[in-house]
Amino acid sequence: MAKKEVKRYDFERKPKKASKFWMAIARAFAINPRLKGYKLTIRKINMEGIEPPYLLFATHSSMLDFPVMYKAVAPHSANNVVAIDAIRDIGEGLMRSLGCICKRKFVRDSHLVRNMQYCLNELKSIVCVYPEARYSLDGTTSFLPYSLGKMCKFAGVPVVVLRMYGTFIAAPQWNKPEQKLPLVAELECVATAEEAKKLSSRELNERIHRAMQRDDYAYQRENGILNKYKKRADGLHHILYRCPHCNTEFKMYSEGTRLWCASCGKAWQMSELGTLQAEEGETEYEFIPDWTKWERECVREEVRSGRYRFEEEVTVHTLPNAKRFYDQGRGRLVQTIEGTFLECTAYGEEKKIEWTAQELESVHIEYDYPFRKDKYKKNIFGDCIDLSVPDDSYWLHPVNTRDRLTKFSFATEEIYAYALERMREKKD
């Protein structure tokens, strides 16, 4: 008997306008309850006369972003561009009824562009995109594509940015238990429909990039927001993986309010305002984004000197559709300045997949996925790298090493930037 072919997700299916019935159910039983206990302030800037259809670019820091977005655009709903794993988590039928448009992360997808255009032109709705395509690691703006301006020119509708503050410090991805801290959502029109048609793609891109800049730790300090959670530093070593005192990587640990290096013994305390203070000696980086910026600079130097290399054995799970993950055993993941390479066996066939340096702009990583273990009796992955091709997503968990994900993420973006520079130099 021939082996049954795995069904792939059909990205050509046209999205639906969000059902009023199901949106009412979602607001009553999901959106409003999720934000109970949070003080949410919504500010609207240059939004006079702006009605659907329009393009909405939202910042991305935590799961709180989604209910905040729906609150910000109320009484309207939106066609929300959602990753296929999130569709899988909630269920395809319900997510389609809520107007969601399915997407694989960091894959060029012509179907997505057509579906977005259909929602704007035919359904006359708001299309919400999270262009960072992953949660912020340190509360600041993550990688933004250079193609956003072109998207706006093609759409020819008003362009709105939703900046969210507080959603990161309330639930960073490396410390997921949510804290009831104040939230702010700023809905700002950065280009009218006329401007979207008149301005160049570069000008539109610059407006969007500028409007999406934020620093959640600075927001916390400026507003005196105290995080009294006794385990607020738990997991901080996931992003602060390199010790600035002895320069050792992957020997950092965290627990409670404390971060320390197992190699040299230096330790830091995380304050209620999100700042760091060395227990002894110099405080190299008081602010967490300054520490991650230094780590990225170290990765950039490794990439541009040609010294960077990642090679690890990984467990492999695939997500060809929005129904379930498939366990594919183990494989090998390699990353150099030439690109990212995966060798594994999937669906009984040997696979050798390459993402060139010029192809992979960024990467989706997850710490401790899934966090809610009680909801997932199978497929408990832990820390994961999610790499996709048009018809499948590969969720990869390093087997023999710890805390490599953040560096892998930085390296992916630095390899891409370096590849573009070299291409431009060749053209010149």
Side-chain angles (χ1 to χ4, degrees), residues 311-376:
E311 183 169 359
E312 298 292 344
E313 183 181 10
V314 292
T315 60
V316 181
H317 291 82
T318 55
L319 187 60
N321 50 50
K323 297 187 181 301
R324 72 180 182 93
F325 286 96
Y326 293 75
D327 188 346
Q328 308 293 357
R330 295 192 176 186
R332 181 152 295 275
L333 180 64
V334 177
Q335 187 178 63
T336 69
I337 63 168
E338 301 305 322
T340 303
F341 310 88
L342 174 65
E343 291 188 10
C344 67
T345 299
Y347 315 107
E349 298 180 2
E350 289 188 6
K351 300 278 187 180
K352 289 187 177 181
I353 306 171
E354 175 183 354
W355 295 267
T356 65
Q358 302 94 328
E359 179 182 2
L360 196 59
E361 298 175 317
S362 187
V363 66
H364 173 219
I365 59 174
E366 287 271 1
Y367 308 115
D368 191 25
Y369 180 86
F371 174 57
R372 289 290 305 278
K373 301 294 189 289
D374 58 318
K375 291 178 66 178
Y376 296 82

Side-chain angles (χ1 to χ4, degrees), residues 34 38-39 59-65 68 135-141 163-185 214-234 236 239 256 270-276 286-289:
R34 186 63 187 281
Y38 288 96
K39 179 187 175 184
T59 59
H60 207 14
S61 294
S62 77
M63 290 294 289
L64 289 168
D65 298 338
V68 170
Y135 300 119
S136 171
L137 303 181
D138 60 3
T140 63
T141 307
R163 281 183 305 278
M164 288 174 273
Y165 297 96
T167 58
F168 176 85
I169 58 172
Q173 282 305 292
W174 44 266
N175 188 318
K176 298 180 185 183
E178 293 180 6
Q179 308 308 306
K180 304 292 185 178
L181 303 178
L183 309 176
V184 173
R214 87 278 189 196
D215 182 337
D216 234 33
Y217 285 114
Y219 156 81
Q220 181 182 8
R221 295 192 304 274
E222 290 164 5
N223 290 277
I225 298 170
L226 301 181
N227 181 0
K228 296 181 179 293
Y229 182 44
K230 299 298 184 183
K231 297 182 179 181
R232 58 183 171 269
D234 275 14
L236 186 54
I239 63 167
M270 185 178 182
S271 76
E272 293 180 349
L273 279 174
T275 58
L276 297 174
E286 181 182 3
F287 306 129
I288 289 171

